Amino acid sequence: MAKRRQIMYTLMKALLAVMLSMCFLIVLVSFVLNANTINDKETTAIQEMAGRVDQEIYTYINSMHDLSELILLDDDVTLFIEAPENASLQDELKNKLVRVLENRQDISSIVVLSTNGTAVTNRNSDLNPYANYRDADWYVKAINYPNQYFLSPSYVQNLIGGEYRWVVSLSRAIVSRGEVKGVLLIDLNFTTIRSVCETAGIGEKGYVYLTDQNGNIIYHPFQRLVYSNLKSETLPPERLSEEGGVRSGDKIYFISGNNEIQWQTVCVLYANQLWREKIVVLPYYILIAAVFAIVILLLSYTISKQITQPLRHLQTAMSQVERGDLNVVAKIHSDNEIGELAETFNHMTQQLNQLMKQNKEEMEQRRASELKALYAQIKPHFLYNTLESIIWMAEKNSQKDIVFMTKNLARLFRTSISVKDELVPLSLELENAESYLAIQKIRYGSKINYCIDTEEGVENYKVVRLLLQPIVENAIYHGIKPKEGSGNISIYAYTSELDLIIEITDDGVGFDPANAKPSKEGTGIGIENVDSRIKLYFGENYGLTFKDHKGGGVRAIITLPILP
């Protein structure tokens, strides 16, 4: 029991050290707080900041009002509103609006809108035909109260075709000869408003937002989150008239209103931020705190090292095992539970290593046996077909052809017998395929034509033995032989990204490998044999597939990994 309690005692020492340190810091901080003075100073500063922002916003809106006055007094506006269908007047007014906004990045658009629906804007697009602007609040108020101007809450303006912008709109009626004949709309895009609010500098996390007298948000630095209901302000609208710091939830709100434009400027400060700024540490306590901090740091380091260092060694060993290294040994010399855990871990890895080696040996033996069985399927069948051809030529007394065919057969079997490796260069397989095609060329004469080509540099890549001959054989017996007239067989090897591709193409009658059966001449097992050997050696991502050839016949595609 004593060994198992050592970790518990170590943890108890660490907890006692942390608790005693926290008690010391609480006592120290309690002597250096001057909460009331800091709170009054911070509140006054932020309230003054809210007033300054409010005044800047008012000045900005007032300048927009002045701009609207200038536009309404312009002769081109008067002429257009009297004759809205006049194209030349529309062009003159449009050019003037464009010039007005050349250096104004804060204005999204200006629209001079006639009551008959004709509009001139600085934008290049026409009005959105689906925008029901006559029911919009900014339009209705401007028409009904021609002697006032109106500021809207923020909204997405869709008046201009193909544009959807967050704006605040200033609208007012255009009166000519005592009659309301249109509406002037100025859309503000928050550039200046955002700049004024962001430069307020309300601490690290504080921010400024604007509302109207009903609490509708006009501008908020997190506008999208607010309108998506992902963020909300906890200050009720009825409290917007209060002055000073208003506490709501974890925030303190400082409000300043402007009766002229009926907007409220709200500065938001997080309560915990104000609390941090209240803490003042007296200089003569700083030295004491520093001494204790150093002692606590050394003590914590020593204790944590005693606990974590052996665990880190064990973690490193486990990571190596996770990466496949089963020879790792966790060298932890300790009499506590971590030491016992390390001994158990080392014993486990030794057993896993032995089991993995045993399993690997069994899998290698099994794979070798399966490959040998597959190779054994091809050799007798190929020999049978070739000897049958020799017998056929002997009956025709073609002695030279018999000699040529026998030499090629000998070369094929000499290569097969002498090469014991499961993987051979592609050049050797191409040579065997050419020998086989030469034999068949003697038998069938001009009925069979063939060509072999490769991409430069692929001849030395390794492939499985007896790869091409069964596919070529099937192309002859199932494609070329049943075809009327002569046929062509081509072999082409090339690389594609990380794979080696070998295509065997014929222009015969076509061949469905799914329905292939053994015959007296073709290898029904050849196709399945080749595909099985490839998958057995390289995995399911590789193998043999067939596609229809554009010129008729079949294109066999062998996919292998690139093995230099």
Side-chain angles (χ1 to χ4, degrees), residues 154-166:
S154 60
Y155 68 104
V156 177
Q157 178 64 279
N158 66 343
L159 183 61
I160 308 299
E163 297 184 6
Y164 300 90
R165 301 169 182 265
W166 279 98

Side-chain angles (χ1 to χ4, degrees), residues 303-356:
I303 294 173
S304 62
K305 186 175 181 181
Q306 291 177 357
I307 298 174
T308 60
Q309 192 171 29
L311 291 174
R312 287 179 180 174
H313 288 322
L314 187 58
Q315 180 186 18
T316 302
M318 288 181 176
S319 298
Q320 290 179 266
V321 171
E322 185 180 8
R323 293 192 295 269
D325 185 6
L326 296 178
N327 296 316
V328 65
V329 177
K331 298 179 181 179
I332 299 175
H333 306 288
S334 178
D335 295 330
N336 56 27
E337 293 91 334
I338 299 178
E340 294 180 4
L341 183 61
E343 291 179 3
T344 303
F345 171 77
N346 291 335
H347 181 67
M348 178 193 70
T349 54
Q350 290 175 0
Q351 287 185 324
L352 282 175
N353 197 13
Q354 292 176 355
L355 290 174
M356 290 293 290

Side-chain angles (χ1 to χ4, degrees), residues 253-547:
Y253 295 86
F254 299 87
I255 304 139
S256 178
N258 191 295
N259 294 328
E260 292 289 334
I261 61 175
Q262 297 181 339
W263 282 7
Q264 306 285 345
T265 299
V266 184
C267 296
V268 182
L269 183 69
Y270 284 90
N272 60 355
Q273 181 182 343
L274 185 59
W275 171 256
R276 287 197 304 268
E277 293 177 359
K278 294 177 182 179
I279 300 173
V280 179
V281 181
L282 297 177
Y284 59 88
Y285 281 103
I286 295 177
L287 180 59
I288 298 175
V291 173
F292 275 95
I294 293 173
V295 174
I296 294 170
L297 179 63
L298 293 175
L299 182 61
S300 300
Y301 175 77
T302 302
I303 294 173
S304 62
K305 186 175 181 181
Q306 291 177 357
I307 298 174
T308 60
Q309 192 171 29
L311 291 174
R312 287 179 180 174
H313 288 322
L314 187 58
Q315 180 186 18
T316 302
M318 288 181 176
S319 298
Q320 290 179 266
V321 171
E322 185 180 8
R323 293 192 295 269
D325 185 6
L326 296 178
N327 296 316
V328 65
V329 177
K331 298 179 181 179
I332 299 175
H333 306 288
S334 178
D335 295 330
N336 56 27
E337 293 91 334
I338 299 178
E340 294 180 4
L341 183 61
E343 291 179 3
T344 303
F345 171 77
N346 291 335
H347 181 67
M348 178 193 70
T349 54
Q350 290 175 0
Q351 287 185 324
L352 282 175
N353 197 13
Q354 292 176 355
L355 290 174
M356 290 293 290
K357 289 181 179 179
Q358 181 179 351
N359 184 60
K360 184 177 180 181
E361 291 175 357
E362 292 176 355
M363 291 296 292
E364 287 291 334
Q365 292 175 358
R366 178 182 175 185
R367 189 171 67 87
S369 299
E370 291 177 354
L371 284 173
K372 288 180 180 178
L374 290 173
Y375 284 133
Q377 286 182 322
I378 291 180
K379 291 180 181 178
H381 184 81
F382 170 67
L383 179 60
Y384 166 79
N385 286 330
T386 306
L387 290 177
E388 185 183 57
S389 298
I390 293 174
I391 292 171
W392 175 79
M393 284 186 290
E395 291 175 351
K396 293 180 61 178
N397 295 321
S398 301
Q399 296 180 3
K400 291 183 179 181
D401 292 340
I402 292 174
V403 171
F404 180 80
M405 183 176 291
T406 306
K407 285 182 178 180
N408 279 281
L409 177 63
R411 184 171 63 174
L412 279 172
F413 275 91
R414 181 170 60 252
T415 303
S416 175
I417 295 171
S418 62
V419 177
K420 301 300 182 181
D421 296 332
E422 295 176 359
L423 297 178
V424 297
L426 175 61
S427 58
L428 184 59
E429 275 300 302
L430 293 174
E431 181 181 338
N432 288 344
E434 186 174 6
S435 297
Y436 177 76
L437 284 166
I439 291 173
Q440 298 300 330
K441 178 71 175 175
I442 292 298
R443 178 175 181 179
Y444 292 103
S446 61
K447 186 175 180 62
I448 295 178
N449 299 301
Y450 66 88
C451 68
I452 299 175
D453 191 16
T454 64
E455 183 182 279
E456 185 178 355
V458 304
E459 296 88 349
N460 295 324
Y461 291 162
K462 297 297 180 64
V463 300
V464 295
R465 286 192 299 149
L466 296 177
L467 180 68
L468 302 179
Q469 184 270 331
I471 310 303
V472 173
E473 185 176 353
N474 274 280
I476 292 174
Y477 289 115
H478 294 284
I480 303 301
K481 185 177 178 181
K483 176 183 177 180
E484 294 183 4
S486 62
N488 300 286
I489 297 176
S490 67
I491 302 175
Y492 181 59
Y494 60 95
T495 58
S496 175
E497 295 181 354
L498 300 179
D499 296 332
L500 173 63
I501 308 297
I502 306 173
E503 295 186 2
I504 300 95
T505 305
D506 68 77
D507 58 358
V509 297
F511 166 57
D512 184 0
N515 298 323
K517 296 180 180 180
S519 66
K520 293 181 179 181
E521 295 178 307
T523 71
I525 62 172
I527 294 173
E528 182 179 355
N529 185 294
V530 171
D531 187 56
S532 298
R533 284 189 290 124
I534 293 173
K535 285 181 167 55
L536 186 62
Y537 204 90
F538 300 115
E540 293 296 323
N541 292 331
Y542 303 95
L544 174 63
T545 57
F546 288 86
K547 292 184 179 180

Side-chain angles (χ1 to χ4, degrees), residues 60-120:
Y60 174 63
I61 296 301
N62 197 43
S63 70
M64 291 298 105
H65 177 265
D66 294 342
L67 177 61
S68 69
E69 287 282 355
L70 292 173
I71 294 174
L72 291 179
L73 295 174
D74 190 272
D75 292 338
D76 288 333
V77 174
T78 303
L79 293 173
F80 164 74
I81 212 67
E82 291 295 336
E85 302 297 336
N86 190 312
S88 63
L89 292 178
Q90 292 178 14
D91 293 338
E92 287 291 333
L93 181 55
K94 180 180 181 68
N95 293 334
K96 181 163 290 187
L97 293 179
V98 171
R99 289 195 298 272
V100 169
L101 297 186
E102 280 182 349
N103 298 316
R104 296 301 299 262
Q105 303 298 323
D106 58 321
I107 299 178
S108 177
S109 62
I110 297 179
V111 181
V112 178
L113 185 63
S114 171
T115 53
N116 72 349
T118 306
V120 175

Side-chain angles (χ1 to χ4, degrees), residues 39 42-44 46-47 50 202 207 209 233-257 264-272 274:
N39 186 73
E42 191 70 23
T43 299
T44 302
I46 296 177
Q47 192 65 52
I202 312 298
Y207 54 89
Y209 70 94
E233 297 297 343
T234 57
L235 180 65
E238 60 269 15
R239 302 193 67 182
L240 286 171
S241 59
E242 300 182 21
E243 294 183 355
V246 179
R247 182 70 178 262
S248 180
D250 61 342
K251 302 173 185 176
I252 302 176
Y253 295 86
F254 299 87
I255 304 139
S256 178
Q264 306 285 345
T265 299
V266 184
C267 296
V268 182
L269 183 69
Y270 284 90
N272 60 355
L274 185 59

